[in-house]
Amino acid sequence: MPDIILETQNLKKYFKTRRGMLHAVDGVNLRIERGKTLGIVGESGCGKSTLGRTIVHLYEPTAGKILFNGTDISQLKKKEQKRLHTDMQMIFQDPFSSLNPRMSVQELILEPMLVNDIYDTREQVYAASAKLMDIVGLAKRLASAYPHELDGGRRQRIGIARALSVGPTFIVCDEPVSALDVSIQAQILNLLMDLQDEMGLTYMFITHDLSVVKHISNEIAVMYMGQVVEKAASDELFAHPLHPYTQALIAAIPTPDIDDGGFSDLEPIKGEVVSPVNPAPGCRFAVRCPYASSGCTDQELTLKEVRQKHYVACPYIETEEENDNTKV
Ligand SMILES: Nc1ncnc2c1ncn2[C@@H]1O[C@H](COP(=O)(O)OP(=O)(O)OP(=O)(O)O)[C@@H](O)[C@H]1O
Ligand SMILES: [Mg+2]
């Protein structure tokens, strides 16, 4: 039996807007195995950050369950949430906006440990912060530097040190390298992967960049307008993308064009994105899907296993069994 650290069951997060209910996360079922990385991909606005924030309790869920180590944490009381806060952490895209500009690197790393009463004495906290700086690759001399004096990579290292400082087992990484130069992206990704190996961390890794998610994830879930439309092991998803939306996303990954040293033409995904406010039933990608017909919008779609551990929400993709039956 796989050791599941986090599971969501029919998780929903709606926002009240002037135009109606915005279905940012709409019935998400996910399971993440301890020590592994689940990648969450999809276009801007599909609900990736809202999903991550709801899981770590920055947002109250509208409906559904969040099981952490088998316990439903969606309805916890304030005091219980505080304890949870140290088990689950979040790393953000832009550490600059989440770092107090008037605090030094050392103060920034000390802060979460002091707020959460992680150690008994100040000496222990200072020793822990020096160790964390070393672990995330920040030189000792930077302890008294301020965030604006550092580059994006070092600022993200502070964000990672702050997340690690309270001893979490599960971290939601929300586009942690998207704001960084490509050369620095690899360093931060390698750091995250090394930390995972050494500390047995579990990640939910959110990104719109499929080339980043491929290497870091064991499994990938593809989101479209608040829902997961496909989920599989990383290699399987890239080798056999089945949902028309996933296929379009993968086709849009830039590939280096060796002849002219640039990038080959991208195939943009065609069609209008429909509004996530009061969405119509059925497949939300149908209006952009080249294969859509009435069968896509006259029924609610759920993920079904069509290949081993490969799940797709599309009425026209048959399971291997169904395929065999039709051949007979
Ligand atoms: N606090 C909020 N109040 C109202 N609507 C919100 C709020 N936060 C997010 N939304 C809406 O919810 C939807 C999902 O937003 P979210 O930020 O989760 O998407 P995302 O996939 O993280 O996008 P991006 O790739 O741009 O970060 C969007 O339509 C967004 O406008
Ligand atoms: Mg986001």
Side-chain angles (χ1 to χ4, degrees), residues 81-102:
Q81 276 185 24
K82 194 174 174 195
R83 155 99 183 83
L84 195 70
H85 187 65
T86 58
D87 282 339
M88 297 176 137
Q89 282 287 303
M90 190 145 176
I91 297 172
F92 299 92
Q93 170 171 356
D94 178 13
F96 201 46
S97 59
S98 58
L99 297 177
N100 183 338
R102 278 181 288 276

Short mmCIF file of all heavy atoms in Angstrom, two decimals, residues 81-102:
data_model
loop_
_atom_site.label_atom_id
_atom_site.label_comp_id
_atom_site.label_asym_id
_atom_site.label_seq_id
_atom_site.Cartn_x
_atom_site.Cartn_y
_atom_site.Cartn_z
N GLN A 81 -4.79 24.24 14.00
CA GLN A 81 -4.22 24.73 12.75
C GLN A 81 -2.79 25.21 12.94
O GLN A 81 -1.96 25.08 12.06
CB GLN A 81 -5.05 25.91 12.22
CG GLN A 81 -6.25 25.46 11.43
CD GLN A 81 -6.98 26.63 10.83
OE1 GLN A 81 -6.41 27.68 10.60
NE2 GLN A 81 -8.26 26.47 10.58
N LYS A 82 -2.51 25.78 14.11
CA LYS A 82 -1.17 26.31 14.38
C LYS A 82 -0.14 25.18 14.32
O LYS A 82 0.93 25.32 13.75
CB LYS A 82 -1.13 27.02 15.73
CG LYS A 82 0.12 27.85 15.88
CD LYS A 82 0.16 28.67 17.12
CE LYS A 82 1.54 29.34 17.20
NZ LYS A 82 1.84 29.87 18.50
N ARG A 83 -0.50 24.06 14.90
CA ARG A 83 0.39 22.90 14.89
C ARG A 83 0.60 22.43 13.45
O ARG A 83 1.70 22.11 13.02
CB ARG A 83 -0.27 21.80 15.76
CG ARG A 83 0.11 20.39 15.45
CD ARG A 83 1.20 19.89 16.41
NE ARG A 83 1.63 18.55 16.09
CZ ARG A 83 2.52 18.27 15.16
NH1 ARG A 83 3.06 19.21 14.44
NH2 ARG A 83 2.87 17.03 14.94
N LEU A 84 -0.49 22.47 12.69
CA LEU A 84 -0.43 22.03 11.30
C LEU A 84 0.46 22.94 10.48
O LEU A 84 1.14 22.51 9.54
CB LEU A 84 -1.86 22.11 10.75
CG LEU A 84 -2.13 21.39 9.46
CD1 LEU A 84 -2.07 19.90 9.71
CD2 LEU A 84 -3.49 21.78 8.94
N HIS A 85 0.47 24.21 10.86
CA HIS A 85 1.23 25.22 10.16
C HIS A 85 2.71 24.86 10.09
O HIS A 85 3.41 25.22 9.16
CB HIS A 85 1.02 26.56 10.88
CG HIS A 85 1.62 27.70 10.16
ND1 HIS A 85 1.17 28.10 8.92
CD2 HIS A 85 2.64 28.53 10.47
CE1 HIS A 85 1.89 29.12 8.52
NE2 HIS A 85 2.79 29.40 9.43
N THR A 86 3.20 24.14 11.10
CA THR A 86 4.61 23.76 11.07
C THR A 86 4.82 22.49 10.23
O THR A 86 5.90 22.25 9.74
CB THR A 86 5.16 23.54 12.49
OG1 THR A 86 4.38 22.54 13.12
CG2 THR A 86 5.11 24.82 13.31
N ASP A 87 3.80 21.68 10.08
CA ASP A 87 3.93 20.46 9.26
C ASP A 87 3.84 20.77 7.77
O ASP A 87 4.39 20.05 6.94
CB ASP A 87 2.79 19.47 9.60
CG ASP A 87 3.05 18.74 10.89
OD1 ASP A 87 4.22 18.68 11.30
OD2 ASP A 87 2.08 18.25 11.50
N MET A 88 3.07 21.80 7.44
CA MET A 88 2.85 22.15 6.03
C MET A 88 3.34 23.56 5.79
O MET A 88 2.99 24.47 6.54
CB MET A 88 1.36 22.17 5.72
CG MET A 88 0.68 20.86 5.88
SD MET A 88 -1.07 21.20 5.57
CE MET A 88 -1.48 19.82 4.59
N GLN A 89 4.12 23.75 4.77
CA GLN A 89 4.63 25.08 4.46
C GLN A 89 4.44 25.38 2.98
O GLN A 89 4.13 24.50 2.19
CB GLN A 89 6.12 25.15 4.81
CG GLN A 89 6.37 25.32 6.30
CD GLN A 89 6.01 26.71 6.77
OE1 GLN A 89 6.52 27.71 6.29
NE2 GLN A 89 5.10 26.78 7.73
N MET A 90 4.64 26.66 2.64
CA MET A 90 4.47 27.06 1.25
C MET A 90 5.67 27.91 0.83
O MET A 90 6.14 28.74 1.62
CB MET A 90 3.16 27.84 1.14
CG MET A 90 2.74 28.10 -0.26
SD MET A 90 0.93 28.06 -0.40
CE MET A 90 0.77 28.52 -2.12
N ILE A 91 6.16 27.67 -0.37
CA ILE A 91 7.22 28.51 -0.95
C ILE A 91 6.58 29.25 -2.13
O ILE A 91 5.92 28.62 -2.97
CB ILE A 91 8.41 27.64 -1.43
CG1 ILE A 91 9.04 26.92 -0.24
CG2 ILE A 91 9.44 28.49 -2.16
CD1 ILE A 91 10.09 25.89 -0.65
N PHE A 92 6.78 30.57 -2.18
CA PHE A 92 6.06 31.38 -3.16
C PHE A 92 6.95 31.76 -4.35
O PHE A 92 8.17 31.71 -4.29
CB PHE A 92 5.54 32.66 -2.50
CG PHE A 92 4.58 32.38 -1.39
CD1 PHE A 92 5.02 32.26 -0.08
CD2 PHE A 92 3.22 32.21 -1.65
CE1 PHE A 92 4.13 31.99 0.95
CE2 PHE A 92 2.33 31.93 -0.63
CZ PHE A 92 2.79 31.83 0.68
N GLN A 93 6.27 32.19 -5.42
CA GLN A 93 6.97 32.58 -6.64
C GLN A 93 7.89 33.78 -6.39
O GLN A 93 9.03 33.79 -6.81
CB GLN A 93 5.94 32.96 -7.71
CG GLN A 93 6.59 33.61 -8.93
CD GLN A 93 5.61 33.80 -10.06
OE1 GLN A 93 4.47 33.38 -9.99
NE2 GLN A 93 6.05 34.42 -11.12
N ASP A 94 7.33 34.77 -5.71
CA ASP A 94 8.06 36.01 -5.57
C ASP A 94 8.40 36.22 -4.09
O ASP A 94 7.64 36.85 -3.36
CB ASP A 94 7.22 37.17 -6.09
CG ASP A 94 7.94 38.48 -5.91
OD1 ASP A 94 9.15 38.45 -5.63
OD2 ASP A 94 7.30 39.53 -6.04
N PRO A 95 9.55 35.68 -3.66
CA PRO A 95 9.85 35.79 -2.23
C PRO A 95 9.98 37.26 -1.82
O PRO A 95 9.75 37.58 -0.66
CB PRO A 95 11.19 35.06 -2.08
CG PRO A 95 11.76 34.96 -3.44
CD PRO A 95 10.62 35.01 -4.40
N PHE A 96 10.29 38.14 -2.79
CA PHE A 96 10.51 39.54 -2.45
C PHE A 96 9.27 40.15 -1.79
O PHE A 96 9.37 40.82 -0.76
CB PHE A 96 10.87 40.34 -3.70
CG PHE A 96 11.57 41.61 -3.38
CD1 PHE A 96 12.60 41.64 -2.46
CD2 PHE A 96 11.21 42.78 -4.01
CE1 PHE A 96 13.26 42.82 -2.16
CE2 PHE A 96 11.87 43.97 -3.72
CZ PHE A 96 12.89 43.98 -2.79
N SER A 97 8.10 39.86 -2.38
CA SER A 97 6.89 40.47 -1.83
C SER A 97 6.48 39.82 -0.51
O SER A 97 5.73 40.39 0.27
CB SER A 97 5.75 40.42 -2.84
OG SER A 97 5.50 39.09 -3.17
N SER A 98 6.98 38.59 -0.25
CA SER A 98 6.61 37.96 1.02
C SER A 98 7.68 38.16 2.10
O SER A 98 7.53 37.70 3.22
CB SER A 98 6.31 36.46 0.80
OG SER A 98 7.42 35.83 0.24
N LEU A 99 8.79 38.85 1.74
CA LEU A 99 9.85 39.09 2.73
C LEU A 99 9.77 40.53 3.22
O LEU A 99 9.73 41.45 2.41
CB LEU A 99 11.23 38.85 2.11
CG LEU A 99 11.54 37.44 1.62
CD1 LEU A 99 12.93 37.39 0.97
CD2 LEU A 99 11.45 36.42 2.73
N ASN A 100 9.78 40.73 4.51
CA ASN A 100 9.77 42.08 5.07
C ASN A 100 11.09 42.78 4.71
O ASN A 100 12.17 42.32 5.09
CB ASN A 100 9.63 41.96 6.60
CG ASN A 100 9.54 43.32 7.27
OD1 ASN A 100 9.97 44.33 6.71
ND2 ASN A 100 8.98 43.34 8.46
N PRO A 101 11.01 43.89 3.95
CA PRO A 101 12.25 44.52 3.45
C PRO A 101 13.12 45.10 4.57
O PRO A 101 14.30 45.37 4.36
CB PRO A 101 11.73 45.64 2.53
CG PRO A 101 10.33 45.90 2.97
CD PRO A 101 9.80 44.60 3.52
N ARG A 102 12.53 45.30 5.76
CA ARG A 102 13.31 45.89 6.86
C ARG A 102 13.99 44.83 7.73
O ARG A 102 14.61 45.16 8.73
CB ARG A 102 12.41 46.79 7.71
CG ARG A 102 12.25 48.18 7.08
CD ARG A 102 11.38 49.06 7.95
NE ARG A 102 10.00 48.62 7.88
CZ ARG A 102 9.15 48.99 6.90
NH1 ARG A 102 9.55 49.80 5.95
NH2 ARG A 102 7.92 48.55 6.88
#
